[in-house]
Amino acid sequence: MIPLFLVLIGCSADRVLVTRDAWTGHELITVTEQEIFRDADAVMTARPSVIVKDGQAGYAVLTQLRRQDANGPRIEKVTALGNPLKYVLHDRLFRHCATGCQRAEIGAIHLSKATFHAAARSGLPLRVYGLRGRYEGTIPARAFADVLAQLDSLP
């Protein structure tokens, strides 16, 4: 009975990850990837994140969109509840080549502090419009709340 309980505890909470870059002085607070969309052609993951340096914080959702056909994803715009969000492309590349390569687009959705805090209460429903598809999913409120709890615990 106890091992099952421990497994359920491990699955119920988002794992918070904190990374410090000694060269730049940045600290990244994020959680493990959350799969928010999947169909026969594509998989999208997201992770709420905060970057901190010298007491200043930047709020974002780091995204990865993979397509399982020959055409790579190309995100054109991202919205939440009909409101446009600032999306920045970081890279387009092959990923997961162990079982046949999939093309991926890696990026970040920049959020205001207020939007990030609101998402910690209600989640963030995203609509992602791409050249080769449309993707819709919700990032759970718990993921944002876990990042904010870790941010609040920083010295």
Side-chain angles (χ1 to χ4, degrees), residues 39-98:
D39 70 5
D41 297 322
V43 175
M44 185 169 186
T45 61
R47 58 171 61 193
S49 304
V50 176
I51 295 178
V52 181
K53 182 177 181 182
D54 299 329
Q56 299 294 314
Y59 301 85
V61 172
L62 305 180
T63 62
Q64 181 181 146
L65 176 60
R66 299 186 316 266
R67 286 190 52 88
Q68 302 186 55
D69 60 13
N71 296 315
R74 299 219 182 250
I75 294 174
E76 296 177 324
K77 74 176 182 174
V78 177
T79 65
L81 302 171
N83 299 312
L85 298 174
K86 181 181 177 186
Y87 173 76
V88 177
L89 168 70
H90 287 181
D91 205 355
R92 287 195 179 105
L93 42 94
F94 280 106
R95 294 290 266 200
H96 304 282
C97 291

